[in-house]
Amino acid sequence: MGFSFFIRGPVWFFGIDGVFEGLAFIVALLLAIYAYRAYKLTHDKRFSLYALSFLAITLGQGIRAVTDLLMHSNLENELPYIAFLPHLQSTPLLFTAGYFLHILFMLLGLMILSCYAMKVKDIKVFCVMAFSLLPLMLLVTSVYLAFHYLGLLFCAFIAYSYWKYWCTKKIRPTCLVFIGFLFMALSYVQFLADTVFRVLYISAHLTQLAGYLCLLAALFMVLRK
Amino acid sequence: MRRSKQDIIFDMLRAIQQKGGSIKPTHLLYKSNLSHQRMKEYIDELKQRGLVKEEQQKEKNMFLLTDQGYEFLQKFQQLKAFTEAFGL
C-alpha cells in the first residue's frame, strides 16, 4: 500500500505539488504577519484570531510542502517503518506524522475562520468542534476523504459568509477574498473526486493555488492604500 | 452610522494632529463627539497604549500626540482597508 492514501496523480507531478504548497505557505504567512501587525497596532482581538488562523494554515501548508518534497526524494527508503495504526502499516512514521500535522493545522485554521465567519464568540463552540473533529482524523479509515470533505465544508461556509458580506460592501478586495475561498472549496471537491479520476489531483492543486493567489491579490490591493 | 472603536480612536488622534499635535481636553471633547465619561475612558486607553500623553503647558493640561500616535494615524487607512476587505 505504501503512501497511497496520500499519493495521487501522475508521477511527473510529484515534487511540483510540494512547490504549489510552498507558494500557499508564503501567501498564508504574509496574511498571518499582516494580521498580527494590525493586532500589535490596535490590540484588537479580532486581528489576533485572524492571525492565529492563518498561522495554523501556514504551518499546515509548510509541513505538507516539506513532507511532499521529502517523500519524492529517496529518503523514504532509509527511514524506519513504524506503524501506529493498522491501516498505515507500511508508511514511514515521518511521512505519516507530516500528513497528520498538515491535517491538524489546516483544520484548526479553517475552524477558527469558520467560527469567525459565524460570529461565534463562545470558545466552547470552537472546543466542541476541535475535540470532536480532530480525534476523528486518527480513527477514520479514509483520512484523505474525511479531511478533504471537512475542508470543503469549512471553505464553502467561509466563502458563503464572504459572499454575503460582499453583497453589502461591494468592494473589489472582498470579492477577491470570496473568490479565493470559493476556489479553495472547489479544490477540495476535486481532491475528493481524484479517487476516481487521478488527473483531478493536478487541477485540485492548481485551483487551490488560484485561491491563495486571490487572497494575496486582495492583500496587495489593501497594502497599496 | 455608528462608529467602531477604531474609528473613534482615529477621530480623536486626528483631532489632536489637526491642532498641531496638542489639544486642550475641552476641545478634544467637542471634536471627538463623545460624552465626558466616554472620552475619559478612551483617553485612558490611548495613554495606556502610548498613543497620547498628558502634559502641563502654560499651567494648562494638554493632550499630546506621541510618535506611536502619529504612526497609528499613518497606518490607519491601510488598516481600515484591510478590516473592510477581510470582513474583520
Side-chain angles (χ1 to χ4, degrees):
Chain A
M1 185 172 98
F3 319 116
S4 62
F5 77 103
F6 271 111
I7 303 302
R8 310 279 177 172
V11 173
W12 61 263
F13 194 66
F14 293 167
I16 298 174
D17 52 359
V19 171
F20 280 18
E21 283 139 13
L23 290 170
F25 161 82
I26 291 168
V27 173
L29 181 64
L30 288 172
L31 281 163
I33 288 172
Y34 191 81
Y36 179 70
R37 282 173 64 185
Y39 167 69
K40 289 292 281 181
L41 194 65
T42 61
H43 298 256
D44 192 333
K45 217 161 101 171
R46 293 174 297 168
F47 295 113
S48 68
L49 288 172
Y50 214 70
L52 199 62
S53 67
F54 275 103
L55 180 64
I57 292 171
T58 303
L59 288 170
Q61 291 290 2
I63 289 169
R64 177 72 190 263
V66 168
T67 308
D68 275 343
L69 289 169
L70 279 178
M71 194 170 60
H72 305 310
S73 64
N74 287 325
L75 199 62
E76 75 269 20
N77 295 325
E78 295 160 29
L79 290 171
Y81 280 65
I82 301 166
F84 61 91
L85 288 166
H87 52 278
L88 301 173
Q89 277 181 1
S90 58
T91 309
L93 181 63
L94 178 69
F95 303 125
T96 306
Y99 286 123
F100 276 114
L101 283 173
H102 159 72
I103 288 169
L104 171 74
F105 283 117
M106 284 300 297
L107 287 181
L108 270 175
L110 291 176
M111 270 192 271
I112 296 172
L113 283 175
S114 299
C115 285
Y116 196 83
M118 283 189 277
K119 301 196 190 316
V120 170
K121 291 191 165 64
D122 194 344
I123 196 168
K124 291 193 280 292
V125 174
F126 173 78
C127 289
V128 164
M129 281 169 71
F131 286 123
S132 55
L133 294 176
L134 296 178
L136 276 178
M137 292 296 108
L138 292 173
L139 302 172
V140 294
T141 50
S142 178
V143 177
Y144 186 87
L145 290 178
F147 165 61
H148 288 108
Y149 177 70
L150 286 174
L152 164 63
L153 279 183
F154 285 132
C155 286
F157 187 78
I158 296 165
Y160 173 68
S161 303
Y162 273 111
W163 177 75
K164 276 177 56 179
Y165 179 65
W166 177 69
C167 287
T168 56
K169 281 286 178 181
K170 294 277 193 237
I171 54 174
R172 228 180 299 172
T174 304
C175 183
L176 282 170
V177 176
F178 154 63
I179 292 170
F181 280 105
L182 184 65
F183 275 156
M184 283 189 224
L186 289 172
S187 76
Y188 284 116
V189 172
Q190 290 167 85
F191 277 121
L192 286 168
D194 82 7
T195 50
V196 179
F197 303 106
R198 292 253 158 158
V199 72
L200 285 176
Y201 182 76
I202 302 168
S203 61
H205 271 287
L206 284 168
T207 310
Q208 191 170 82
L209 183 63
Y212 280 104
L213 290 176
C214 285
L215 294 184
L216 185 66
L219 181 64
F220 280 164
M221 286 180 77
V222 161
L223 291 178
R224 269 181 26 211
K225 291 199 182 277
Chain B
M1 196 171 144
R2 202 172 169 181
R3 291 182 293 175
S4 69
K5 184 178 173 182
Q6 298 305 324
D7 286 329
I8 293 171
I9 289 173
F10 175 74
D11 288 343
M12 290 175 76
L13 295 178
R14 193 172 53 173
I16 303 174
Q17 186 190 38
Q18 284 172 346
K19 280 281 190 179
S22 63
I23 195 169
K24 291 182 195 171
T26 331
H27 290 177
L28 184 59
L29 186 65
Y30 294 146
K31 291 278 187 185
S32 60
N33 200 22
L34 294 169
S35 66
H36 183 264
Q37 179 61 31
R38 287 260 305 203
M39 192 198 81
K40 191 175 175 316
E41 287 168 9
Y42 274 99
I43 283 290
D44 287 343
E45 183 174 339
L46 290 175
K47 283 200 285 192
Q48 198 180 26
R49 284 167 59 175
L51 301 177
V52 154
K53 58 184 177 184
E54 195 171 1
E55 268 184 15
Q56 284 266 326
Q57 284 183 0
K58 296 175 185 171
E59 293 178 0
K60 285 177 186 163
N61 269 352
M62 301 288 276
F63 293 124
L64 277 75
L65 202 55
T66 62
D67 290 340
Q68 261 180 281
Y70 278 108
E71 192 189 334
F72 181 93
L73 281 170
Q74 273 176 351
K75 291 188 176 168
F76 184 81
Q77 291 300 337
Q78 214 179 57
L79 194 69
K80 201 171 163 69
F82 180 77
T83 307
E84 277 183 356
F86 287 86
L88 292 168

PDB file of all heavy atoms in Angstrom, chain B residues 30-47:
ATOM      1  N   TYR B  30     -15.192  68.245  22.296  1.00  0.00           N
ATOM      2  CA  TYR B  30     -16.087  68.705  21.220  1.00  0.00           C
ATOM      3  C   TYR B  30     -15.785  67.981  19.903  1.00  0.00           C
ATOM      4  O   TYR B  30     -16.694  67.561  19.188  1.00  0.00           O
ATOM      5  CB  TYR B  30     -15.933  70.216  20.999  1.00  0.00           C
ATOM      6  CG  TYR B  30     -16.395  71.073  22.145  1.00  0.00           C
ATOM      7  CD1 TYR B  30     -15.754  72.280  22.462  1.00  0.00           C
ATOM      8  CD2 TYR B  30     -17.481  70.695  22.929  1.00  0.00           C
ATOM      9  CE1 TYR B  30     -16.173  73.060  23.524  1.00  0.00           C
ATOM     10  CE2 TYR B  30     -17.904  71.471  23.998  1.00  0.00           C
ATOM     11  CZ  TYR B  30     -17.248  72.652  24.289  1.00  0.00           C
ATOM     12  OH  TYR B  30     -17.662  73.423  25.348  1.00  0.00           O
ATOM     13  N   LYS B  31     -14.486  67.854  19.616  1.00  0.00           N
ATOM     14  CA  LYS B  31     -14.084  67.266  18.325  1.00  0.00           C
ATOM     15  C   LYS B  31     -14.416  65.775  18.248  1.00  0.00           C
ATOM     16  O   LYS B  31     -14.739  65.255  17.180  1.00  0.00           O
ATOM     17  CB  LYS B  31     -12.560  67.432  18.115  1.00  0.00           C
ATOM     18  CG  LYS B  31     -12.125  68.867  17.884  1.00  0.00           C
ATOM     19  CD  LYS B  31     -12.337  69.252  16.453  1.00  0.00           C
ATOM     20  CE  LYS B  31     -11.748  70.629  16.183  1.00  0.00           C
ATOM     21  NZ  LYS B  31     -12.044  71.098  14.834  1.00  0.00           N
ATOM     22  N   SER B  32     -14.302  65.105  19.385  1.00  0.00           N
ATOM     23  CA  SER B  32     -14.497  63.641  19.359  1.00  0.00           C
ATOM     24  C   SER B  32     -15.977  63.262  19.413  1.00  0.00           C
ATOM     25  O   SER B  32     -16.332  62.113  19.117  1.00  0.00           O
ATOM     26  CB  SER B  32     -13.741  62.976  20.516  1.00  0.00           C
ATOM     27  OG  SER B  32     -14.205  63.470  21.759  1.00  0.00           O
ATOM     28  N   ASN B  33     -16.819  64.228  19.801  1.00  0.00           N
ATOM     29  CA  ASN B  33     -18.267  63.980  19.836  1.00  0.00           C
ATOM     30  C   ASN B  33     -18.621  62.810  20.774  1.00  0.00           C
ATOM     31  O   ASN B  33     -19.379  61.905  20.411  1.00  0.00           O
ATOM     32  CB  ASN B  33     -18.766  63.689  18.407  1.00  0.00           C
ATOM     33  CG  ASN B  33     -20.257  63.914  18.274  1.00  0.00           C
ATOM     34  OD1 ASN B  33     -20.861  64.645  19.053  1.00  0.00           O
ATOM     35  ND2 ASN B  33     -20.866  63.257  17.307  1.00  0.00           N
ATOM     36  N   LEU B  34     -18.025  62.870  21.940  1.00  0.00           N
ATOM     37  CA  LEU B  34     -18.279  61.845  22.964  1.00  0.00           C
ATOM     38  C   LEU B  34     -18.723  62.521  24.255  1.00  0.00           C
ATOM     39  O   LEU B  34     -18.493  63.719  24.441  1.00  0.00           O
ATOM     40  CB  LEU B  34     -16.986  61.060  23.262  1.00  0.00           C
ATOM     41  CG  LEU B  34     -16.392  60.195  22.162  1.00  0.00           C
ATOM     42  CD1 LEU B  34     -14.992  59.728  22.562  1.00  0.00           C
ATOM     43  CD2 LEU B  34     -17.265  58.981  21.891  1.00  0.00           C
ATOM     44  N   SER B  35     -19.320  61.712  25.135  1.00  0.00           N
ATOM     45  CA  SER B  35     -19.626  62.230  26.470  1.00  0.00           C
ATOM     46  C   SER B  35     -18.317  62.343  27.253  1.00  0.00           C
ATOM     47  O   SER B  35     -17.307  61.730  26.877  1.00  0.00           O
ATOM     48  CB  SER B  35     -20.574  61.283  27.210  1.00  0.00           C
ATOM     49  OG  SER B  35     -19.902  60.049  27.465  1.00  0.00           O
ATOM     50  N   HIS B  36     -18.344  63.083  28.316  1.00  0.00           N
ATOM     51  CA  HIS B  36     -17.132  63.296  29.110  1.00  0.00           C
ATOM     52  C   HIS B  36     -16.586  61.982  29.645  1.00  0.00           C
ATOM     53  O   HIS B  36     -15.382  61.732  29.615  1.00  0.00           O
ATOM     54  CB  HIS B  36     -17.424  64.263  30.271  1.00  0.00           C
ATOM     55  CG  HIS B  36     -16.198  64.581  31.069  1.00  0.00           C
ATOM     56  ND1 HIS B  36     -15.866  63.916  32.233  1.00  0.00           N
ATOM     57  CD2 HIS B  36     -15.207  65.483  30.862  1.00  0.00           C
ATOM     58  CE1 HIS B  36     -14.722  64.392  32.707  1.00  0.00           C
ATOM     59  NE2 HIS B  36     -14.305  65.342  31.891  1.00  0.00           N
ATOM     60  N   GLN B  37     -17.534  61.127  30.124  1.00  0.00           N
ATOM     61  CA  GLN B  37     -17.134  59.841  30.707  1.00  0.00           C
ATOM     62  C   GLN B  37     -16.473  58.948  29.652  1.00  0.00           C
ATOM     63  O   GLN B  37     -15.426  58.343  29.887  1.00  0.00           O
ATOM     64  CB  GLN B  37     -18.370  59.151  31.309  1.00  0.00           C
ATOM     65  CG  GLN B  37     -18.105  57.784  31.926  1.00  0.00           C
ATOM     66  CD  GLN B  37     -17.120  57.823  33.073  1.00  0.00           C
ATOM     67  OE1 GLN B  37     -17.026  58.812  33.808  1.00  0.00           O
ATOM     68  NE2 GLN B  37     -16.353  56.771  33.231  1.00  0.00           N
ATOM     69  N   ARG B  38     -17.093  58.879  28.481  1.00  0.00           N
ATOM     70  CA  ARG B  38     -16.551  58.022  27.406  1.00  0.00           C
ATOM     71  C   ARG B  38     -15.208  58.543  26.924  1.00  0.00           C
ATOM     72  O   ARG B  38     -14.297  57.768  26.662  1.00  0.00           O
ATOM     73  CB  ARG B  38     -17.537  57.984  26.233  1.00  0.00           C
ATOM     74  CG  ARG B  38     -18.783  57.169  26.516  1.00  0.00           C
ATOM     75  CD  ARG B  38     -18.725  55.834  25.925  1.00  0.00           C
ATOM     76  NE  ARG B  38     -18.455  55.934  24.502  1.00  0.00           N
ATOM     77  CZ  ARG B  38     -18.728  55.075  23.576  1.00  0.00           C
ATOM     78  NH1 ARG B  38     -19.288  53.979  23.890  1.00  0.00           N
ATOM     79  NH2 ARG B  38     -18.454  55.247  22.334  1.00  0.00           N
ATOM     80  N   MET B  39     -15.102  59.885  26.813  1.00  0.00           N
ATOM     81  CA  MET B  39     -13.832  60.441  26.363  1.00  0.00           C
ATOM     82  C   MET B  39     -12.737  60.096  27.367  1.00  0.00           C
ATOM     83  O   MET B  39     -11.616  59.748  26.987  1.00  0.00           O
ATOM     84  CB  MET B  39     -13.927  61.962  26.208  1.00  0.00           C
ATOM     85  CG  MET B  39     -12.729  62.533  25.457  1.00  0.00           C
ATOM     86  SD  MET B  39     -12.501  64.287  25.685  1.00  0.00           S
ATOM     87  CE  MET B  39     -11.661  64.364  27.249  1.00  0.00           C
ATOM     88  N   LYS B  40     -13.074  60.161  28.639  1.00  0.00           N
ATOM     89  CA  LYS B  40     -12.084  59.842  29.674  1.00  0.00           C
ATOM     90  C   LYS B  40     -11.630  58.376  29.536  1.00  0.00           C
ATOM     91  O   LYS B  40     -10.441  58.071  29.648  1.00  0.00           O
ATOM     92  CB  LYS B  40     -12.705  60.084  31.050  1.00  0.00           C
ATOM     93  CG  LYS B  40     -11.700  60.055  32.190  1.00  0.00           C
ATOM     94  CD  LYS B  40     -12.343  60.415  33.511  1.00  0.00           C
ATOM     95  CE  LYS B  40     -11.350  60.256  34.667  1.00  0.00           C
ATOM     96  NZ  LYS B  40     -10.550  59.051  34.632  1.00  0.00           N
ATOM     97  N   GLU B  41     -12.584  57.495  29.261  1.00  0.00           N
ATOM     98  CA  GLU B  41     -12.235  56.071  29.097  1.00  0.00           C
ATOM     99  C   GLU B  41     -11.300  55.876  27.904  1.00  0.00           C
ATOM    100  O   GLU B  41     -10.326  55.142  27.980  1.00  0.00           O
ATOM    101  CB  GLU B  41     -13.508  55.235  28.888  1.00  0.00           C
ATOM    102  CG  GLU B  41     -14.346  55.072  30.148  1.00  0.00           C
ATOM    103  CD  GLU B  41     -15.720  54.497  29.864  1.00  0.00           C
ATOM    104  OE1 GLU B  41     -15.983  54.058  28.721  1.00  0.00           O
ATOM    105  OE2 GLU B  41     -16.561  54.492  30.796  1.00  0.00           O
ATOM    106  N   TYR B  42     -11.634  56.557  26.803  1.00  0.00           N
ATOM    107  CA  TYR B  42     -10.795  56.434  25.613  1.00  0.00           C
ATOM    108  C   TYR B  42      -9.409  57.035  25.843  1.00  0.00           C
ATOM    109  O   TYR B  42      -8.403  56.472  25.408  1.00  0.00           O
ATOM    110  CB  TYR B  42     -11.466  57.095  24.405  1.00  0.00           C
ATOM    111  CG  TYR B  42     -12.422  56.184  23.671  1.00  0.00           C
ATOM    112  CD1 TYR B  42     -13.800  56.260  23.885  1.00  0.00           C
ATOM    113  CD2 TYR B  42     -11.949  55.228  22.781  1.00  0.00           C
ATOM    114  CE1 TYR B  42     -14.673  55.408  23.217  1.00  0.00           C
ATOM    115  CE2 TYR B  42     -12.813  54.381  22.107  1.00  0.00           C
ATOM    116  CZ  TYR B  42     -14.175  54.476  22.339  1.00  0.00           C
ATOM    117  OH  TYR B  42     -15.042  53.629  21.680  1.00  0.00           O
ATOM    118  N   ILE B  43      -9.366  58.172  26.501  1.00  0.00           N
ATOM    119  CA  ILE B  43      -8.082  58.817  26.776  1.00  0.00           C
ATOM    120  C   ILE B  43      -7.219  57.901  27.636  1.00  0.00           C
ATOM    121  O   ILE B  43      -6.010  57.772  27.394  1.00  0.00           O
ATOM    122  CB  ILE B  43      -8.292  60.189  27.463  1.00  0.00           C
ATOM    123  CG1 ILE B  43      -8.717  61.228  26.415  1.00  0.00           C
ATOM    124  CG2 ILE B  43      -7.048  60.658  28.187  1.00  0.00           C
ATOM    125  CD1 ILE B  43      -7.607  61.613  25.439  1.00  0.00           C
ATOM    126  N   ASP B  44      -7.825  57.287  28.632  1.00  0.00           N
ATOM    127  CA  ASP B  44      -7.062  56.359  29.487  1.00  0.00           C
ATOM    128  C   ASP B  44      -6.474  55.223  28.651  1.00  0.00           C
ATOM    129  O   ASP B  44      -5.317  54.828  28.841  1.00  0.00           O
ATOM    130  CB  ASP B  44      -7.961  55.784  30.593  1.00  0.00           C
ATOM    131  CG  ASP B  44      -8.280  56.816  31.670  1.00  0.00           C
ATOM    132  OD1 ASP B  44      -7.562  57.839  31.739  1.00  0.00           O
ATOM    133  OD2 ASP B  44      -9.256  56.617  32.424  1.00  0.00           O
ATOM    134  N   GLU B  45      -7.270  54.708  27.712  1.00  0.00           N
ATOM    135  CA  GLU B  45      -6.758  53.626  26.860  1.00  0.00           C
ATOM    136  C   GLU B  45      -5.653  54.133  25.939  1.00  0.00           C
ATOM    137  O   GLU B  45      -4.634  53.469  25.754  1.00  0.00           O
ATOM    138  CB  GLU B  45      -7.883  53.009  26.022  1.00  0.00           C
ATOM    139  CG  GLU B  45      -7.357  51.834  25.187  1.00  0.00           C
ATOM    140  CD  GLU B  45      -8.422  51.087  24.435  1.00  0.00           C
ATOM    141  OE1 GLU B  45      -9.613  51.177  24.811  1.00  0.00           O
ATOM    142  OE2 GLU B  45      -8.052  50.410  23.458  1.00  0.00           O
ATOM    143  N   LEU B  46      -5.865  55.329  25.386  1.00  0.00           N
ATOM    144  CA  LEU B  46      -4.838  55.880  24.480  1.00  0.00           C
ATOM    145  C   LEU B  46      -3.528  56.132  25.226  1.00  0.00           C
ATOM    146  O   LEU B  46      -2.442  55.925  24.677  1.00  0.00           O
ATOM    147  CB  LEU B  46      -5.342  57.188  23.862  1.00  0.00           C
ATOM    148  CG  LEU B  46      -6.477  57.048  22.845  1.00  0.00           C
ATOM    149  CD1 LEU B  46      -6.982  58.410  22.402  1.00  0.00           C
ATOM    150  CD2 LEU B  46      -6.025  56.244  21.639  1.00  0.00           C
ATOM    151  N   LYS B  47      -3.639  56.577  26.469  1.00  0.00           N
ATOM    152  CA  LYS B  47      -2.425  56.821  27.277  1.00  0.00           C
ATOM    153  C   LYS B  47      -1.757  55.494  27.601  1.00  0.00           C
ATOM    154  O   LYS B  47      -0.530  55.366  27.540  1.00  0.00           O
ATOM    155  CB  LYS B  47      -2.786  57.561  28.573  1.00  0.00           C
ATOM    156  CG  LYS B  47      -3.041  59.052  28.340  1.00  0.00           C
ATOM    157  CD  LYS B  47      -2.930  59.891  29.589  1.00  0.00           C
ATOM    158  CE  LYS B  47      -4.102  59.753  30.496  1.00  0.00           C
ATOM    159  NZ  LYS B  47      -4.118  60.769  31.568  1.00  0.00           N
TER     160      LYS B  47
END
